[in-house]
Amino acid sequence: MTLTVRTLSTLEAAQHLDDLAQLLQACVADGASVGFVMPFDVEAATRFWQDSVLPALAGEGRVLWGAFEEGRLVGTVQLGLAMMPNQSHRAEVSKMLVAPAFRRRGIARALMQALLARAAAEGRSLVTLDTRSGDPSQALYTSCGFRVAGEIPGFALAPEGGPRRDPTTYMYRQG
């Protein structure tokens, strides 16, 4: 299959809203720690994209990439560029999502390469992120040149719901 990674404009993201919502919901249902807990339905996922991401894209404070295989949206990642004046050299990675059935195919790495190239083009010499400690994504980020800044225990509720609180690892990449 042919993988295509490209930035999505606000209009394109709106056109792919159903796919974006289904991707987010499927990732959370599969245990991805990306800010949401079960029960989490497609309607809630749609609201997230409509209320949070689309306005940020329109304001140019965020960049969204989509990964497509044979025309099907199978992954996304976002780069936050809207920083305080004393952090104009920095950008932040968020919502790395790859459809559960498409993982371990290099999609996340391709998304990160596109994101890091854009961060460099924007003059952002420091890129930061946080991830659930020990997740496979942490190994990906390490292989992309990110270093661990520290870990916070009990940072986020587990995505499946319930009382468990997972640690998060903060990471950064300079260059």
Side-chain angles (χ1 to χ4, degrees), residues 2-6 8 16 66-75:
T2 303
L3 178 68
T4 304
V5 173
R6 67 176 196 271
L8 300 179
H16 287 284
F68 297 85
E69 277 200 5
E70 306 301 320
R72 177 180 176 190
L73 180 69
V74 296

Side-chain angles (χ1 to χ4, degrees), residues 2-175:
T2 303
L3 178 68
T4 304
V5 173
R6 67 176 196 271
T7 57
L8 300 179
S9 67
T10 307
L11 178 59
E12 286 179 292
Q15 291 169 342
H16 287 284
L17 187 59
D18 291 342
D19 296 332
L20 290 164
Q22 289 173 15
L23 174 65
L24 176 57
Q25 194 281 329
C27 289
V28 173
D30 194 56
S33 183
V34 290
F36 304 98
V37 296
M38 295 300 288
F40 181 69
D41 58 24
V42 173
E43 291 77 22
T46 300
R47 283 192 301 276
F48 165 74
W49 290 103
Q50 284 179 322
D51 298 346
S52 296
V53 179
L54 294 180
L57 292 176
E60 299 181 6
R62 183 166 303 271
V63 181
L64 171 67
W65 284 265
F68 297 85
E69 277 200 5
E70 306 301 320
R72 177 180 176 190
L73 180 69
V74 296
T76 66
V77 70
Q78 299 174 46
L79 181 66
L81 296 170
M83 299 292 157
M84 296 300 293
N86 70 341
Q87 297 174 32
S88 60
H89 63 290
R90 186 173 81 80
E92 187 170 78
V93 178
S94 65
K95 302 294 183 278
M96 169 64 79
L97 304 170
V98 176
F102 288 82
R103 293 186 182 147
R104 311 282 317 156
R105 297 186 189 183
I107 295 168
R109 181 171 305 283
L111 286 163
M112 284 303 297
Q113 289 170 343
L115 179 145
L116 292 170
R118 176 65 178 268
E122 293 281 341
R124 305 305 172 103
S125 59
L126 178 64
V127 181
T128 61
L129 60 85
D130 71 279
T131 187
R132 181 171 47 192
S133 300
D135 267 5
S137 58
Q138 188 173 345
L140 166 72
Y141 300 137
T142 298
S143 75
C144 290
F146 283 82
R147 302 171 112 185
V148 172
E151 181 181 86
I152 301 174
F155 185 80
L157 292 173
E160 64 269 9
R164 189 181 89 224
R165 294 170 191 242
D166 293 330
T168 197
T169 298
Y170 279 92
M171 303 182 80
Y172 67 96
R173 183 179 190 272
Q174 293 177 303

